[in-house]
Amino acid sequence: MPNDLLTGLNPEQLRAVTWEKGSALVLAGAGSGKTRVLTTRIAWLIQTGQVSPMGVLAVTFTNKAAREMFTRLSAMLPINTRGMWIGTFHGLCNRLLRAHHRDAGLPQLFQILDSQDQLSAVKRVLKALNVDTEKYEPRKVQAFVNMNKEAGLRADRIEAYDPYTRRLAEYYAEYDAQCKREGVVDFAELLLRSFELLSRNALLREHYQERFRHILVDEFQDTSRLQYDWLKLLRAPENAIFAVGDDDQSIYAFRGADVANMALFQREMGIAEVVKLTQNYRSFGTILDAANAVIGHNENRLGKDLWTEAGRGEPIRHYEAASDTDEARFVVEEAQALRRDGMRYIDIAVLYRSNAQSRAIEHALFSAGLPYRVYGGLRFFERAEIKHALAYLRLVANHEDDNAFLRVVNFPTRGVGARTVEAIDAAARAGGTSLWAAACAQGAGKKGLAGFVQLIEALGGEIQGMSLAEQVEHVVARSGLIEHYKSERDGEDRIENLNELTNAATAFSGEAENAVSVEANIGMADVKSALADGHGQSQELADFLAHAALEAGEHEAQAGQDAVQLMTVHAAKGLEFMAVFITGLEEALFPHENSLTELDGLEEERRLMYVAITRARQRLYLTHAASRMLHGQLRYGLPSRFLREIPEALVQSIAGWRGGMSSAGESHEAAPAQASRAAAMPYRVGARVQHARYGEGVVAGYQGQGAETEIRVSFPRVGDKWFILEYARLSAC
């Protein structure tokens, strides 16, 4: 009976599932049961005879969500779901193009290029055209192609207002021509080619419009404009689109998601009334009130407030740390306390805005012996850019390190091809030498190889006399890694990680006793000896490289093991945990500094905070640090505006460095080191002050004496500024 499907639905869910007024926009709040509503809607339509299983088109954003939908439908109805059109945009477009490859101008067995294959194809195009790849870097050309395809633009439709863009458009056209000759498509091409096919082929379009009487879309807030236009092509005027999404959780603008599609859909489909799913089945009331308060500051939203029958729950804990190290220590101590109270580690999540923030937290967890797993990414010392940087450092410290040599001899690309490396390897084997020795012998006649040898030898001399942090920073800068990653789509994150490696070295230098204690680990002394032997490099560099090796992947918990979960807020979307720590809540960190100048940037950051808060079921921690190592320098930041947007009545402050005691009762230094020197100054280090031109800032330190005393103030938007104290014209906040 149809009613069996509807048992247990709340009134809002029931209204959505049984909607009979054409197209619908369902505003589904976090934890409100949207997946159940979607699958039940499909089952109800089929069971009531309104549509056959083959007449449904359901679009998800992940293959995992599609599989879950298939599983739930199979449990609800005795039907064969195998032939149903349920999948991701790319998966469904692939299916459409396979079925109509001739009409689409594709071979029957066309191949799909992944990102690396696409990059290789771009490189071949540029090589054939004799393009200067320093000016037109292959990754930039690849990004240009994908950006325009995702916007629905072919090369001949691009408005090029300058010679550089015109060249990029020409390379885009040549790339398209090469793909056509070879019978291949990239991921962006799947959607664009499918859209073009349906646009120009009226018979085919009408066939699918007649077939798919009901189109259902999950995570509608994450659709791009091209995806939305593709959906509209498949809808006949008399058919319905059932769109489920949450504008408050639209956090993927950097991937092309356009939250404005929700309001546009409502207007274009003539939807007079939005169905709102607001009952939350995940979190306690205090957590939901905090989420509602924060997101309420966004102006451009459809509007809803989450509520629950689960009760108020505990207050939100707020901890102000003296530093990022203190913040990480607090997280570890609280996680241990939660474990003692019976909570599993796997039910605890630590969230951060930037991947680079994980390093300090990982180190604290590792040092305390707590199991942890980086969800949806790699641990800090396992990330490719970090392994590249460490390989340069290892090779500088020890020329005999063949693994380090192989990793960076041609990264970034310097014209050392596979044949050259094979020749070096053969010569090394024949002579019983290292690859470095063989390369030195062969390098004279090979420009790229000779340049690499000269670079490594030069670095060995240049870093003499430098501190460990300076050595790391110098080698990373001279390696070319930062310039290389500037042109990648995720380059900003990778560069932040490389900068964080300098912070790791700074922190390591201050932990000499800890470094000594880890020597007892099996094989550590041998590793250090091999790295430092005979090359005049500091023992500290050898110790640091050994430390990095020790914290590498074999210590990470596997999926499913009882371990603390670490992840970015973006990676946390769709997940839930008993206890959640949201760390790094400082201006210019969360919200990210880029958001302060981007259109809709701050509103998207606030949506990201909303997502973070609503991951918590029972307990929520909010932390920020008075000082933090950024780019190898100690910085002072203002508490995030998101903290001020949460009503004080919902929050319990845990005494941090200002109060002198943590929740665990451990004593801390009363303030960062500079505070003791500035005790007699009018503003203490860490105090918030106001400047007429630069706005609100934080006192970061002093220098000089008497009339020459200068005060350093850190402003979120403009960085650090020095003022002569007598003329500073600062006011206390």
Side-chain angles (χ1 to χ4, degrees), residues 391-621:
Y392 273 102
L393 288 162
R394 284 164 49 196
L395 196 59
V396 169
N398 175 18
H399 293 346
E400 311 303 309
D401 190 332
D402 285 353
N403 286 332
F405 178 92
L406 288 171
R407 174 172 279 275
V408 297
V409 66
N410 196 42
F411 194 92
T413 304
R414 53 176 56 89
V416 181
R419 290 185 179 179
T420 299
V421 174
E422 289 172 3
I424 293 171
D425 183 60
R429 290 177 184 276
T433 67
S434 67
L435 294 176
W436 171 265
C440 290
Q442 296 187 17
K446 296 178 171 58
K447 182 179 178 181
L449 186 60
F452 176 68
V453 169
Q454 291 167 6
L455 171 65
I456 299 301
E457 288 181 334
L459 286 172
E462 291 167 1
I463 66 173
Q464 293 298 320
M466 292 183 177
S467 68
L468 175 61
E470 290 170 339
Q471 291 179 48
V472 172
E473 184 177 30
H474 184 77
V475 170
V476 168
R478 290 269 278 121
S479 68
L481 290 172
I482 290 178
E483 287 301 316
H484 169 79
Y485 287 121
K486 281 181 179 178
S487 61
E488 289 199 347
R489 175 172 289 190
D490 60 349
E492 185 176 342
D493 279 347
R494 294 185 183 274
I495 292 170
E496 283 186 1
N497 286 334
L498 289 171
N499 289 329
E500 183 61 27
L501 186 61
T502 302
N503 297 341
T506 301
F508 181 82
S509 294
E511 299 176 353
E513 292 182 6
N514 190 34
V516 171
S517 69
V518 300
E519 288 184 26
N521 288 274
I522 297 174
M524 180 56 61
D526 292 337
V527 173
K528 288 167 54 178
S529 176
L531 287 170
D533 183 33
H535 294 286
Q537 299 306 308
S538 70
Q539 183 65 46
E540 192 176 25
L541 175 57
D543 290 345
F544 176 66
L545 293 170
H547 159 76
L550 184 63
E551 285 203 22
E554 67 266 21
H555 300 282
E556 182 176 26
Q558 300 301 309
Q561 290 184 353
D562 189 26
V564 178
Q565 307 292 297
L566 272 60
M567 66 195 74
T568 64
V569 181
H570 281 101
K573 188 171 182 297
L575 305 177
E576 59 183 65
F577 303 92
M578 300 297 286
V580 169
F581 294 82
I582 307 176
T583 62
L585 282 167
E586 296 133 40
E587 287 291 297
L589 187 58
F590 194 7
H592 194 276
E593 58 186 344
N594 292 347
S595 71
L596 303 178
T597 56
E598 293 175 351
L599 183 66
D600 191 47
L602 185 56
E603 294 221 338
E604 175 140 340
E605 288 291 298
R606 193 172 278 114
R607 294 193 292 267
L608 197 59
M609 181 64 177
Y610 176 84
V611 167
I613 292 172
T614 54
R615 299 312 95 194
R617 297 183 63 185
Q618 292 185 355
R619 185 173 289 193
L620 177 63
Y621 294 88

Side-chain angles (χ1 to χ4, degrees), residues 52 132 162 177 180 236 271 313 364 376 382 395 419 460 520 536 657:
S52 72
D132 180 359
D162 58 84
K180 183 177 181 180
I271 297 172
E382 290 181 322
L395 196 59
R419 290 185 179 179
W657 64 271

Side-chain angles (χ1 to χ4, degrees), residues 677-684 689 691 699-713 721-731:
R677 291 171 43 205
M681 297 302 175
Y683 307 102
R684 62 171 174 77
V689 294
H691 186 272
V699 177
Y702 293 89
Q703 71 177 17
Q705 294 181 349
E708 297 181 358
T709 300
E710 292 182 300
I711 182 173
R712 179 162 61 96
V713 182
K721 297 290 183 182
W722 284 97
F723 304 95
I724 296 176
L725 186 58
E726 185 178 355
Y727 305 106
R729 296 185 180 180
L730 300 169
S731 58

Side-chain angles (χ1 to χ4, degrees), residues 25 58 64 82 192 206 232 253 308 313 319 321 356 360 362 419 424 560 565 569 631 636 663 667 693:
L25 178 60
K64 178 182 177 182
R82 184 179 297 271
L192 180 55
E206 290 167 5
K232 289 194 296 182
T308 182
Y319 180 72
E362 285 186 54
R419 290 185 179 179
I424 293 171
Q565 307 292 297
V569 181
H631 314 310
Y636 294 83
S663 61
S667 178
R693 180 176 179 184

Side-chain angles (χ1 to χ4, degrees), residues 262-304:
M262 298 193 75
L264 185 63
F265 174 79
Q266 182 182 5
R267 184 168 64 252
E268 291 186 342
M269 299 298 159
I271 297 172
E273 189 176 2
V274 175
V275 180
K276 298 182 180 181
L277 306 183
T278 57
Q279 184 174 356
N280 178 281
Y281 293 92
R282 176 187 299 157
S283 307
F284 281 124
T286 300
I287 294 170
L288 298 181
D289 287 350
N292 291 334
V294 170
I295 201 65
H297 285 77
N298 273 3
E299 297 179 359
N300 301 314
R301 57 190 295 258
L302 297 175
K304 68 180 183 315

Side-chain angles (χ1 to χ4, degrees), residues 46-59:
I46 294 172
Q47 195 175 60
T48 55
Q50 298 182 59
V51 70
S52 72
M54 297 303 103
V56 172
L57 176 69
V59 187

Side-chain angles (χ1 to χ4, degrees), residues 179-312:
C179 288
K180 183 177 181 180
R181 289 194 303 271
E182 297 176 0
V184 297
V185 299
D186 53 54
F187 276 102
E189 181 73 16
L190 288 171
L191 182 62
L192 180 55
R193 183 73 65 104
S194 177
F195 175 80
E196 291 171 340
L197 172 64
L198 292 171
S199 296
R200 69 172 180 266
N201 193 321
L203 288 176
L204 194 63
R205 182 173 66 251
E206 290 167 5
H207 164 76
Y208 283 104
Q209 287 177 344
E210 185 176 345
R211 173 175 178 171
F212 297 132
R213 295 176 55 196
H214 286 273
I215 299 173
L216 300 96
V217 190
D218 192 12
E219 304 286 8
F220 190 73
Q221 78 279 354
D222 292 333
T223 54
S224 68
R225 186 56 190 268
L226 183 59
Q227 289 169 337
Y228 175 48
D229 290 342
W230 182 81
L231 289 168
K232 289 194 296 182
L233 280 178
L234 288 167
R235 173 190 172 270
E238 66 275 13
N239 293 342
I241 296 180
F242 187 85
V244 180
D246 184 1
D247 59 333
D248 291 336
Q249 295 189 75
S250 180
I251 59 174
Y252 296 118
F254 65 95
R255 295 181 185 171
D258 188 353
V259 68
N261 284 344
M262 298 193 75
L264 185 63
F265 174 79
Q266 182 182 5
R267 184 168 64 252
E268 291 186 342
M269 299 298 159
I271 297 172
E273 189 176 2
V274 175
V275 180
K276 298 182 180 181
L277 306 183
T278 57
Q279 184 174 356
N280 178 281
Y281 293 92
R282 176 187 299 157
S283 307
F284 281 124
T286 300
I287 294 170
L288 298 181
D289 287 350
N292 291 334
V294 170
I295 201 65
H297 285 77
N298 273 3
E299 297 179 359
N300 301 314
R301 57 190 295 258
L302 297 175
K304 68 180 183 315
D305 281 333
L306 299 179
W307 62 279
T308 182
E309 294 180 343
R312 300 295 302 157

